[in-house]
Amino acid sequence: MTDVVDRAAQAQQPRAAPVTGGRERWFRPLVGVAALTGAAAGLVVASLSLGQPLVVPARLPSVLAADGGLEHVVVTELRAPRLLLAVLAGAGLGVAGLLLQESLRNPLAVPELLGTSSGAAAAVAVTVGFGLTVPGAPLLPALVGAAIGTLLTVLAVRGAVGPAAVLLIGAGVSAALQAMMLAALSMADSREQGVLVRYLLGSLSGTTWSTVAATLPGLLLGLPLAVLALPALGLLRLGGEAASVLGLRPGAARLGVLAIACLITAAVVGPCGPVAWVGFFAPQLAARVAPRVGLAARLAACAGLGAMVVGAADLAARTVLYPVELPVGGLTAVVAVLLGGVLLLRRRAVRR
């Protein structure tokens, strides 16, 4: 038992960085933070400026301060809420992905492969397809669907051996929920089918300030809970045996972390649809941008990188083929595929 405690304590400590000189220890992180801050500022300016009509960045302050006019309405009522929703969605999915990956100790444990995202989207699609009036929509149906999808996966994987089996079963549950989405789509009114198709592909079109307001309750509850769950998450990273020795009940703690991830995912999927694979690549990018930091800093990095990627994807979705709008979820899926290919090639190179 003493050996387990010693190993757990050592694993919980951040890995020591190589001694490369005092200046480099603070200079490199400072450069990274400055670069990310500059990229985020540029993304905000581009999101508010680009499109039809084009607003020159130098005129943005005067346009924002104006009492009215076409440019003022476009920037403040269309582009600003859409940018804010993209930031909130990316941050939430990045945090949810980190919670799932660390609690289950699997880098592929993401909402798309655990039934969480598909369950939330299926529940919203059913309410729209059948014309059901549900109080608290879209958050409440999405939350119920995310919980059911995750619970189905958890029940189905009981007795499964190895992470690959768990992910295959989760993918099967997600496929069944996606079939339910398609069934709801086929039964929807013809006027609703176009809206549902865009929603099921992940879209931020038609975003208003009321859409942002519908997202806030789940995130304002889920993100602080994610921060409060960091101590338990740090123990779950060590494995069930070590966590038990250190006084944690692994089963209950893991269930609590999964519940928080479901809440955050539902808060995003409800208004935006399944914006795919942000929960996968945000933690992966954060692990490479800040490899030797604690869980709190990694959580913040996942939120920031997820927000930037979804914001950039939404900007590309509405400008690249204007007036045709691309699905944001499709673009984020492409980013995930490219990142996964890069990681696979690097792993093969390391093995050789």
Side-chain angles (χ1 to χ4, degrees):
M1 182 177 294
T2 304
D3 295 338
V4 173
V5 175
D6 291 340
R7 290 198 305 270
Q10 292 173 3
Q12 199 170 11
Q13 296 294 327
R15 295 181 179 177
V19 179
T20 55
R23 177 176 298 180
E24 188 175 355
R25 282 199 298 267
W26 62 262
F27 182 72
R28 291 181 62 186
L30 185 61
V31 171
V33 171
L36 291 176
T37 302
L43 177 62
V44 170
V45 173
S47 297
L48 296 178
S49 300
L50 297 180
Q52 294 295 330
L54 176 66
V55 179
V56 180
R59 296 188 60 246
L60 273 178
S62 61
V63 170
L64 291 172
D67 293 332
L70 176 62
E71 291 181 337
H72 175 79
V73 172
V74 169
V75 171
T76 60
E77 299 298 328
L78 297 179
R79 295 177 186 172
R82 184 161 175 164
L83 171 62
L84 181 56
L85 184 61
V87 169
L88 293 175
L93 292 174
V95 169
L98 179 67
L99 294 178
L100 292 173
Q101 291 180 24
E102 294 295 339
S103 62
L104 299 176
R105 304 178 68 195
N106 191 326
L108 292 179
V110 292
E112 288 75 18
L113 290 181
L114 293 178
T116 309
S117 182
S118 300
V124 175
V126 167
T127 58
V128 174
F130 288 92
L132 303 177
T133 302
V134 180
L139 175 59
L140 184 58
L143 181 58
V144 173
I148 291 175
T150 306
L151 181 61
L152 287 175
T153 303
V154 171
L155 293 176
V157 300
R158 298 178 68 179
V161 178
V166 172
L167 294 178
L168 285 175
I169 293 172
V173 173
S174 297
L177 293 170
Q178 289 171 1
M180 185 181 298
M181 286 188 251
L182 295 177
L185 176 63
S186 65
M187 301 181 70
D189 185 86
S190 59
R191 293 171 297 180
E192 300 288 348
Q193 286 184 349
V195 177
L196 268 179
V197 168
R198 287 198 304 271
Y199 172 80
L200 296 178
L201 291 175
S203 174
L204 276 66
S205 63
T207 298
T208 62
W209 289 113
S210 60
T211 312
V212 177
T215 311
L216 286 177
L219 293 180
L220 290 177
L221 179 60
L223 294 179
L225 288 176
V227 175
L228 294 176
L230 287 179
L233 195 65
L235 296 180
L236 288 175
R237 298 173 69 189
L238 309 176
E241 181 184 357
S244 299
V245 171
L246 294 172
L248 185 71
R249 297 174 57 189
R254 190 172 288 111
L255 184 61
V257 173
L258 291 177
I260 297 171
C262 284
L263 173 61
I264 296 173
T265 303
V268 173
V269 174
C272 303
V275 182
W277 296 100
V278 180
F280 164 69
F281 60 69
Q284 298 296 325
L285 290 175
R288 282 150 183 80
V289 172
R292 296 182 180 91
V293 296
L295 265 178
R298 235 184 119 192
L299 188 77
C302 288
L305 290 169
M308 290 181 62
V309 171
V310 176
D314 182 58
L315 176 61
R318 67 177 179 82
T319 58
V320 170
L321 295 180
Y322 182 84
V324 177
E325 185 166 316
L326 300 173
V328 177
L331 294 180
T332 55
V334 170
V335 173
V337 170
L338 294 177
L339 178 61
V342 171
L343 295 178
L344 183 61
L345 292 176
R346 289 188 61 183
R347 181 172 296 181
R348 288 182 177 178
V350 170
R351 287 179 178 176
R352 289 177 182 175

